[in-house]
Amino acid sequence: MILIVDDKSENIFSLKKLLEHNNFEVDTASSGEEALRKILKNIYALIILDVQMPGMDGFEVAEAISGYSKAKDIPILFLSAVNKEKHFITRGYASGGIDYITKPVDPDILLLKAKTFYRLYEQTQQLTQAREKLTEEIEIRKVTEKKKDEFISIASHELKTPLTSIKGYLQLSERALENKNLENTKKYIQRTQLQLEKLSNLVADLLDISKIEGGKMKLNKGIFNFGKLLSNAIDMVRPTTNGHKIIVKGSADVDVYGDEVRIEQVIINYLTNALKYSPDAEEVHIESNITDNRLKVSVQDFGIGIPPRKQKNIFQKFYRVEESSNRFQGLGIGLYICAEILKRHEGTYGVKSVPGSGSVFHFSIPILNHSK
Ligand code: ADP
């Protein structure tokens, strides 16, 4: 939009008509003060400014505009009665495009200059936008790089922990075997197996991340029975509980179309987190139901909970809640992988949580039918 500033309504009228006739949108102001008010409120591509006005003259207006960060780049076309005023023109308004036209106005010249400035303004805008976008992208990349570095160091640490335990348990079982203590040997081998399971899950998660990044996470969809999947998943998680009881509620003994292994992975992940982040609780609840042709699953724990501000980030890659990151080991990728799996099943997911009371992680996916 072009702003015409002139104290004489007849001048405004003829300029407005000329510009509108050439498809420009036009706004008008009859004094410098009114112009400044409008410039603060609206966005203009060009200001046509009469130099001689009672009250604030054109130069004063231009000087004032140069102090507004939002408007300082708007080109100004001065209308002056005498050519010699030209040297004033650049004063105080160095950053934007500037030009003048002597009165009486030659319509062709005015149009030519208006068009040039309009284009200049549009190009400047495009450049500014491109610059802002670039700066934003650079910032995002910097943050991702930093997160990646942190991730590599946490990942190495996370891999090292079960490895150290495995080494220890193997030494212990060797000694127990030498002492012919079969009971202890068995116990240490079982513990070794648990640690190996942990290690293999970690490696699987790491591989999943690189598959997702490379756009190579392929799903193997088919029809499976959810009830069976659920009891398998619970059986797999049970040995890792620290005295928790896993309470199963609802009924969803239905056939579902999806990737069985991946859906099981989501449930195991939700359950493992529920157990991990509620070390002092006695129970974890898992409930499944069918509503509106969708399978809805929720896993509730009575653990540490998640602060409200952090809940929206919880499914992001590498995200861990700072307050608890020292107390609990983890990579911050499990829920991200869950989200990616669910997205590929037309799924929805989320969390409701109260710090200190616990969390409910839920998801839903479409099912095939309601058959029992
Ligand atoms: P990890 O547990 O390996 O850090 P996840 O992606 O599974 O990674 O979880 C991301 C973060 O979400 C965790 O670091 C933790 O801060 C938070 N979180 C996940 N599940 C729970 C839960 N049941 N209770 C409290 N916080 C949780």
Side-chain angles (χ1 to χ4, degrees):
M1 192 156 50
I2 297 179
L3 177 68
I4 305 172
V5 189
D6 201 315
D7 59 312
K8 295 194 185 64
S9 56
E10 62 274 20
N11 289 354
I12 287 190
F13 180 75
S14 58
L15 280 179
K16 188 168 185 270
K17 229 170 122 190
L18 173 71
L19 290 167
E20 281 179 345
H21 188 69
N22 283 275
N23 302 325
F24 287 110
E25 259 187 89
V26 177
D27 195 6
T28 61
S30 56
S31 69
E33 290 83 354
E34 188 189 355
L36 289 180
R37 274 198 302 276
K38 288 200 160 183
I39 288 164
L40 273 183
K41 261 204 292 191
N42 309 320
I43 294 170
Y44 297 104
L46 170 66
I47 301 168
I48 299 179
L49 191 53
D50 186 25
V51 171
Q52 279 148 341
M53 291 186 291
M56 253 184 140
D57 72 17
F59 297 133
E60 286 168 329
V61 175
E63 221 164 323
I65 295 173
S66 71
Y68 299 166
S69 62
K70 190 183 132 208
K72 66 179 176 13
D73 293 326
I74 306 175
I76 295 182
L77 201 50
F78 287 104
L79 300 180
S80 66
V82 250
N83 198 349
K84 69 176 173 10
E85 286 169 2
K86 185 182 163 191
H87 66 278
F88 286 114
I89 288 170
T90 44
R91 201 191 60 192
Y93 195 82
S95 49
I98 219 122
D99 205 347
Y100 74 98
I101 286 184
T102 48
K103 286 180 181 172
V105 172
D106 177 333
D108 289 337
I109 294 193
L110 179 99
L111 268 180
L112 196 73
K113 293 196 173 183
K115 279 180 188 161
T116 310
F117 275 123
Y118 210 96
R119 211 175 313 128
L120 178 81
Y121 180 78
E122 278 175 348
Q123 283 168 354
T124 315
Q125 288 294 98
Q126 280 165 4
L127 261 163
T128 313
Q129 275 170 11
R131 201 180 49 213
E132 279 168 4
K133 214 169 148 216
L134 219 70
T135 318
E136 206 176 295
E137 263 171 34
I138 291 173
E139 276 313 307
I140 292 174
R141 275 190 192 196
K142 272 192 202 157
V143 173
T144 316
E145 275 302 305
K146 196 168 156 257
K147 275 190 181 170
K148 233 178 200 164
D149 287 347
E150 282 169 9
F151 172 73
I152 289 172
S153 98
I154 299 174
S156 328
H157 178 76
E158 287 285 304
L159 292 171
K160 188 107 196 289
T161 313
L163 271 180
T164 313
S165 308
I166 290 169
K167 230 163 109 184
Y169 286 134
L170 280 180
Q171 278 169 0
L172 284 172
S173 47
E174 197 178 20
R175 212 170 301 155
L177 201 64
E178 276 166 13
N179 296 336
K180 304 214 167 26
N181 187 338
L182 281 186
E183 202 176 314
N184 274 356
T185 311
K186 200 172 155 203
K187 187 172 83 188
Y188 295 135
I189 287 179
Q190 273 168 351
R191 289 190 185 166
T192 309
Q193 266 166 347
L194 267 183
Q195 294 300 323
L196 272 173
E197 192 66 32
K198 247 187 179 172
L199 197 62
S200 120
N201 287 342
L202 271 172
V203 174
D205 276 359
L206 291 173
L207 286 174
D208 278 348
I209 285 282
S210 79
K211 274 188 208 154
I212 294 169
E213 305 256 285
K216 287 191 186 119
M217 179 146 106
K218 296 262 176 325
L219 294 192
N220 208 347
K221 287 190 182 176
I223 298 171
F224 63 87
N225 181 270
F226 180 73
K228 222 170 91 198
L229 177 146
L230 187 61
S231 60
N232 275 348
I234 293 171
D235 284 347
M236 281 173 71
V237 173
R238 202 165 262 132
T240 65
T241 58
N242 254 341
H244 287 86
K245 243 167 118 182
I246 301 178
I247 313 260
V248 185
K249 295 189 203 164
S251 88
D253 197 9
V254 285
D255 282 345
V256 177
Y257 180 73
D259 186 323
E260 184 172 4
V261 177
R262 291 298 185 181
I263 295 298
E264 188 177 78
Q265 185 179 353
V266 173
I267 290 174
I268 291 177
N269 227 308
Y270 275 21
L271 280 173
T272 316
N273 277 350
L275 296 165
K276 173 161 88 174
Y277 294 102
S278 67
D280 304 323
E282 289 173 0
E283 291 180 356
V284 161
H285 296 187
I286 178 158
E287 181 166 2
S288 48
N289 286 303
I290 310 292
T291 344
D292 303 332
N293 262 356
R294 290 181 79 84
L295 165 69
K296 299 194 174 178
V297 180
S298 60
V299 175
Q300 181 175 21
D301 67 62
F302 305 91
I304 60 167
I306 301 156
R309 274 180 308 114
K310 317 256 160 133
Q311 289 173 21
K312 63 176 189 317
N313 303 323
I314 215 90
F315 288 89
Q316 280 172 18
K317 189 166 50 176
F318 305 143
Y319 188 86
R320 307 200 70 216
V321 175
E322 262 171 44
E323 287 87 334
S324 52
S325 61
N326 285 335
R327 206 172 140 207
F328 300 94
Q329 289 180 338
L331 287 175
I333 54 176
L335 287 179
Y336 168 71
I337 296 170
C338 290
E340 291 297 313
I341 292 172
L342 292 167
K343 278 183 205 162
R344 287 161 174 77
H345 280 86
E346 295 163 54
T348 61
Y349 53 85
V351 63
K352 284 191 196 118
S353 185
V354 179
S357 300
S359 316
V360 182
F361 279 82
H362 55 88
F363 76 81
S364 86
I365 52 170
I367 56 155
L368 254 191
N369 53 43
H370 279 273
S371 63
K372 265 250 162 196

